[in-house]
Amino acid sequence: MTSPARSLVGLRLGERSLDVAMPHGASVYDVLRAAGADLDDPGLTVVDSAGQQLDPYSTTGEQLPDGSVLHVLRRPRVVRVARGGHEVSDPAVSRPTTSPWWLGVAGAAAVVVAATVVLGMDGASAPLAPADRWAVAGALMLAGLALAVLRRRPGATGSLWPTAVAALAGAAAGAITVDPQVAAAGQLLGVAALVGATVVTAARWAATRRVRDDAADHAGILLVLLAGASAISAGVLLLGLPAVLASAAMLGAVPLLVRALPTLAVDVPDEQLIDVAQVATTAASVRAPTPQPLGAVNRRMVVRSVRSAERRRDAGTVLVALVPPVTAPMVLASAEPGGLTGWAALVAVLLVALSLNLQPRTTRGAVVRWAPRVSAALLLVELGVLGAASGGPVATAATGAAIGLGLGVAALSVAVGRGWRSVGFSRLADTLEGLSTALALPAALTAAGVVEVLRLVTSA
């Protein structure tokens, strides 16, 4: 019988030095717990011989070569004198570091370059030559990838900015590669921008996923949303369908995404909930080594998982809330006033706004409460402006419905803020929320002309 694979590592715990034969399936957390380390200390940090911080929960023995030395350090705590007593806080919380100023400059430069290319598509200005266009796109892509692999020092904050600017640089690089003279250049430009942003965000997520901090959480949720938008836009383009179908699908899917985000943001391994080796047996599992248990659940692990889920939920809510104000004008502008698509566009926008106003009633946190409501308010403003500009009975009905819905939501918000509660209103709101969430996507697709598309497909 062969002995299990293992790595011989050294462990430094203050004044203690231990030689450990670490199995490949065991994590650093298991070794520290067996060595008697105080794992409930929030200032506990594990670094290797090169000074790189390790995650004790995800780093296993097979990732450590023989002869590695792990140093267990404790960061000093800062005592702040507060009114009425003393408050102990972590230095990473008491003195957050800000993002470098050049990240804002890089993001502004990417926006300017992308806007220059887009504005040059109308023929008013001379487009870039192919060689120059690819050179600029390559430079922006390299800049985005450089930001994507940027690793912040342990304890630093503000990792959202590198992720956002890197995705923006990738989107600008993808947009510049499109020749403005080709057919369907606008639709192709949108797909290329989404693909470029997805590639850079994937690199950012791959570079930060081993360090469980807000950088990996933000990059992960942004990658999922960009990949979904890229798939929808690319599918519509390849099938030769109208470009507004992609915008309508994204607009109609917003209520479903907002409702599913709290559940999707929680990431707990199955091995932490049940003993998978005892309940799951497959042809592959009986030939593989028995998986090592993840160990007992402690307070630090629970707090980290909850905070990570909250970061993913907040970031996803803000990103999803940006979709309706961007896609709704495209759906409303492409719809035929007074026809089926015109009324469907009006209904779709009102349903999305209603759902975004009602869903935050049962959520916790300022971001998830107000980001959907701000998005709904912008939807009503856009509906009123476009309705007043177009004129006609549909425009009058749209403007009146938008103003009435806005005033009603404002009145209810004031009443609820003052402590008013009603079981009947709560049940009515739940019913309207469910109907608006379920009917928003079909209404949006109808506004984009999916009925005519299906008729053409079935008659061909």
Side-chain angles (χ1 to χ4, degrees):
M1 181 176 179
T2 60
S3 59
R6 59 187 182 179
S7 299
L8 301 178
V9 300
L11 188 62
R12 296 294 302 272
L13 290 169
E15 300 296 332
R16 299 168 54 195
S17 297
L18 303 175
D19 294 329
V20 181
M22 187 175 178
H24 281 184
S27 63
V28 175
Y29 172 81
D30 298 330
V31 175
L32 296 178
R33 183 181 59 179
D38 185 11
L39 299 176
D40 293 329
D41 186 359
L44 188 70
T45 304
V46 182
V47 298
D48 57 10
S49 301
Q52 183 177 5
Q53 184 177 359
L54 301 178
D55 185 0
Y57 299 96
S58 61
T59 305
T60 58
E62 59 186 357
Q63 301 171 358
L64 300 174
D66 287 337
S68 301
V69 180
L70 304 181
H71 302 267
V72 181
L73 308 176
R74 288 178 175 84
R75 293 177 293 174
R77 294 185 295 177
V78 177
V79 179
R80 295 184 302 171
V81 179
R83 181 175 299 177
H86 293 80
E87 180 182 356
V88 179
S89 62
D90 188 85
V93 179
S94 60
R95 295 191 303 271
T97 57
T98 57
S99 300
W101 59 269
W102 52 268
L103 288 178
V105 177
V111 171
V112 170
V113 172
T116 302
V117 175
V118 173
L119 293 177
M121 294 179 59
D122 58 358
S125 59
L128 292 175
D132 298 335
R133 187 168 61 246
W134 283 101
V136 175
L140 284 174
M141 182 60 72
L142 290 177
L145 292 176
L147 285 173
V149 299
L150 179 67
R151 297 291 295 274
R152 62 175 189 160
R153 68 178 184 270
T157 58
S159 62
L160 176 61
W161 287 107
T163 304
V165 176
L168 189 60
I176 291 176
T177 58
V178 178
D179 186 1
Q181 307 301 327
V182 300
Q187 188 176 0
L188 184 59
L189 185 143
V191 174
L194 288 173
V195 172
T198 303
V199 171
V200 175
T201 306
R204 176 68 174 171
W205 176 77
T208 58
R209 67 187 180 92
R210 294 186 60 84
V211 182
R212 297 186 177 183
D213 58 2
D214 50 352
D217 297 330
H218 296 152
I221 193 68
L222 181 60
L223 175 61
V224 172
L225 296 178
L226 285 176
S230 301
I232 294 175
S233 302
V236 170
L237 177 63
L238 294 176
L239 294 176
L241 301 176
V244 69
L245 274 176
S247 300
M250 297 178 194
L251 176 64
V254 165
L256 297 174
L257 291 176
V258 173
R259 172 173 286 190
L261 270 176
T263 302
L264 299 178
V266 179
D267 183 17
V268 179
D270 294 336
E271 293 82 359
Q272 195 69 66
L273 303 176
I274 58 176
D275 192 351
V276 180
Q278 301 297 328
V279 300
T281 302
T282 61
S285 64
V286 297
R287 296 180 176 87
T290 303
Q292 296 291 333
L294 297 181
V297 178
N298 56 17
R299 180 178 178 275
R300 185 181 181 185
M301 183 187 303
V302 173
V303 171
R304 189 184 64 171
S305 299
V306 171
R307 289 179 178 176
S308 179
E310 289 178 348
R311 285 195 296 266
R312 285 192 292 266
R313 181 202 60 184
D314 293 346
T317 302
V318 172
L319 292 173
V320 173
L322 293 175
V323 175
V326 175
T327 57
M330 304 177 189
V331 177
L332 292 172
S334 63
E336 180 183 357
L340 175 62
T341 57
W343 286 105
L346 170 63
V347 171
V349 172
L350 292 178
L351 288 176
V352 172
L354 183 63
S355 178
L356 292 178
N357 272 305
L358 295 177
Q359 283 193 12
R361 293 181 301 112
T362 57
T363 57
R364 297 176 57 185
V367 175
V368 293
R369 275 184 174 272
W370 291 106
R373 291 171 177 172
V374 172
S375 178
L378 292 177
L379 273 181
L380 297 179
V381 172
E382 292 175 350
L383 186 61
V385 171
L386 293 177
S390 60
V394 176
T396 304
T399 305
I403 295 175
L405 183 61
L407 293 177
V409 170
L412 289 176
S413 299
V414 172
V416 172
R418 292 179 177 178
W420 177 75
R421 297 292 185 270
S422 172
V423 177
F425 171 74
S426 179
R427 293 178 178 176
L428 177 61
D430 290 338
T431 302
L432 293 178
E433 176 192 343
L435 290 175
S436 60
T437 303
L439 298 178
L441 182 58
L445 293 178
T446 303
V450 71
V451 176
E452 183 66 19
V453 172
L454 293 177
R455 187 184 66 81
L456 294 176
V457 171
T458 55
S459 62

